[in-house]
Amino acid sequence: MLFIVSIFIFVGVLETLTPYLARKTTVFGVSIPEPYVQHQQLLIFKKHYSMMVGSIAVACFIGQILLLFTSIQEEQFVLLSFVLLYVVLLIAAGLYMFYHIKTKSMKKQENWEAHVKTVYVMDLSIRDRDEVLSPTFFALPIIISLALITFTYMNYNAIPDVFATHWNAAGEVDGRTEKTWLSVIVMPLILLGIQISFFIISIGMKNAKIQLSAQAKEASANRELNQRKYGSWYLAAINYSMTIVLVVLHYTTVILKNQTASYFFPLFIVFMFVSLGGLILLIWKLSNSNERFVDLHTNETAADDDRYWKWGIVYLNKNDPSLLVQKKYGVGWTVNLANKWSYIILLVIFLPILLVIFI
């Protein structure tokens, strides 16, 4: 239960701070000309959003804590906790759209673009400082999964006719599957799909464009390089820790026929620690390297790309060869839906999920 509470706290804090984690030149998914990044109304929008989301998150958190002092069963507590979590996320999404529209409207009404000089900022030497992990680093987990699938088929006859495939919160088996040529490799197949998507994402990160500010060129370069470097490290940590957990789980339950190994839960805790702890570290690194814009000396601003974004969330630019681009709101990356390879990523990600649902 305490683990679910910790996830709720993390998500609540993250949603509350999100407006302050994005680049200073993007506010609620809208590109802001650099001379206006300190506009008082924009600061008020961010403050109001954070106050409202934070208040709702605290209220839901208190409700979650009160549930701990009742006689509620663990499964019901987990279900209600996720309901409260989705409430926070839905309200945060609604507020985002509200302030996205207000910010976009204010930018148009005050005609900011007419009072600035748009420039295109480039620095080819920045690529030499790029420390994104090579896609080759993400190939090893794929080889491990393929080897596991091969090994599983080599031992197919020794696998029980019915084996465990799901466990409840107490670690007890509550779901079993009959042995078939497909069912025995569902877990490594799902893992393989995730690993392939990570491999493609690593290629996209390596080749993604680097966006620089006109008046904070070095600061924006540092932020870009940090997001790329630490983002690839975080992706690798998730990839390798997930590979360890699922390979051990599959090998132990299917090959060794041990369905209640005591180290399952500790392994899962370590994986969640890597996931959440790594994300906290990534956010901290990015927040420390964000542009400050304390010395705006001209009316210059880097060219924006708002026309290629829908609601500041969906990116469609057929003239951009990049597979991945940085999100305009929050931390992380999103796909360029005008690039045909983006649909390969989405297919690889969602195909294993559909496999689990329909098998």
Side-chain angles (χ1 to χ4, degrees):
M1 289 185 180
L2 293 179
F3 179 69
I4 300 298
V5 172
S6 65
I7 293 178
F8 191 95
I9 294 174
F10 175 79
V11 172
V13 172
L14 179 62
E15 288 296 327
T16 300
L17 297 179
T18 294
Y20 300 97
L21 300 177
R23 295 187 62 179
K24 295 293 181 65
T25 51
T26 56
V27 177
F28 295 106
V30 180
S31 297
I32 306 299
E34 291 170 43
Y36 294 93
V37 293
Q38 300 293 348
H39 193 289
Q40 189 62 32
Q41 193 60 50
L42 295 178
L43 300 179
I44 291 174
F45 287 168
K46 292 181 181 180
K47 180 180 178 181
H48 286 177
Y49 172 93
S50 294
M51 289 178 61
M52 285 187 282
V53 172
S55 298
I56 294 166
V58 168
C60 290
F61 173 69
I62 292 174
Q64 186 184 42
I65 295 300
L66 292 176
L67 289 173
L68 290 174
F69 295 95
T70 66
S71 58
I72 189 172
Q73 295 182 354
E74 184 172 356
E75 291 78 7
Q76 294 175 323
F77 175 80
V78 171
L79 176 60
L80 290 175
S81 294
F82 276 107
V83 169
L84 291 173
L85 182 61
Y86 290 138
V87 168
V88 174
L89 292 174
L90 285 173
I91 292 176
L95 286 172
Y96 163 79
M97 288 304 302
F98 174 75
Y99 283 110
H100 171 78
I101 294 171
K102 287 182 69 70
T103 302
K104 191 173 182 179
S105 176
M106 185 173 69
K107 176 183 177 181
K108 182 178 180 180
Q109 288 177 359
E110 298 188 6
N111 200 17
W112 289 347
E113 293 178 333
H115 300 92
V116 297
K117 179 182 178 181
T118 299
V119 297
Y120 292 87
V121 187
M122 297 181 62
D123 187 346
L124 299 180
S125 65
I126 291 179
R127 289 286 181 181
D128 297 332
R129 297 157 53 190
D130 195 356
E131 299 180 68
V132 174
L133 290 175
S134 169
T136 305
F137 193 77
F138 293 85
L140 179 58
I142 295 176
I143 296 173
I144 293 174
S145 291
L146 290 174
L148 182 61
I149 291 173
T150 302
F151 185 78
T152 299
Y153 279 140
M154 290 174 61
N155 292 271
Y156 182 80
N157 292 332
I159 298 173
D161 291 334
V162 178
F163 56 92
T165 54
H166 194 272
W167 295 261
N168 61 22
E172 301 168 341
V173 177
D174 64 355
R176 298 177 185 274
T177 298
E178 293 184 3
K179 181 176 71 172
T180 66
W181 287 98
L182 181 59
S183 67
V184 295
I185 64 164
V186 165
M187 192 176 298
L189 198 61
I190 292 173
L191 179 61
L192 181 63
I194 296 173
Q195 291 166 340
I196 292 174
S197 66
F198 280 1
F199 177 76
I200 298 174
I201 289 172
S202 70
I203 296 175
M205 291 176 66
K206 191 75 175 177
N207 298 315
K209 63 182 179 182
I210 298 177
Q211 301 174 345
L212 301 178
S213 302
Q215 301 195 51
K217 180 180 175 182
E218 187 58 29
S220 60
N222 288 335
R223 187 185 194 280
E224 290 281 319
L225 292 173
N226 281 339
Q227 174 154 329
R228 294 162 67 87
K229 177 175 70 173
Y230 295 118
S232 68
W233 290 7
Y234 176 65
L235 195 69
I238 294 294
N239 197 357
Y240 277 86
S241 60
M242 181 184 297
T243 298
I244 292 172
V245 171
L246 293 185
V247 167
V248 170
L249 184 61
H250 175 80
Y251 183 79
T252 303
T253 57
V254 177
I255 306 300
L256 298 182
K257 309 171 189 176
N258 184 354
Q259 300 176 359
T260 57
S262 59
Y263 46 80
F264 287 171
F265 185 70
L267 274 177
F268 178 73
I269 293 298
V270 170
F271 168 70
M272 294 306 299
F273 178 79
V274 170
S275 302
L276 298 180
L279 185 56
I280 292 172
L281 180 61
L282 174 62
I283 291 171
W284 178 69
K285 287 290 187 180
L286 290 182
S287 63
N288 286 341
S289 61
N290 209 346
E291 309 102 318
R292 304 301 175 187
F293 290 105
V294 294
D295 183 24
L296 297 173
H297 52 279
T298 72
N299 70 333
E300 293 182 342
T301 186
D304 70 54
D305 56 357
D306 279 355
R307 61 189 179 279
Y308 301 118
W309 288 87
K310 303 297 183 184
W311 314 292
I313 301 173
V314 179
Y315 183 69
L316 293 131
N317 183 0
K318 63 181 180 180
N319 298 318
D320 185 355
S322 299
L323 176 62
L324 297 181
V325 294
Q326 291 186 25
K327 290 181 179 179
K328 287 181 77 72
Y329 186 68
V331 175
W333 303 76
T334 188
V335 294
N336 176 11
L337 289 179
N339 187 320
K340 62 181 180 180
W341 288 103
S342 65
Y343 295 96
I344 302 298
I345 290 183
L346 296 176
L347 178 63
V348 170
I349 291 174
F350 288 108
L351 188 59
I353 298 175
L354 295 176
L355 189 65
V356 171
I357 293 174
F358 292 106
I359 286 184

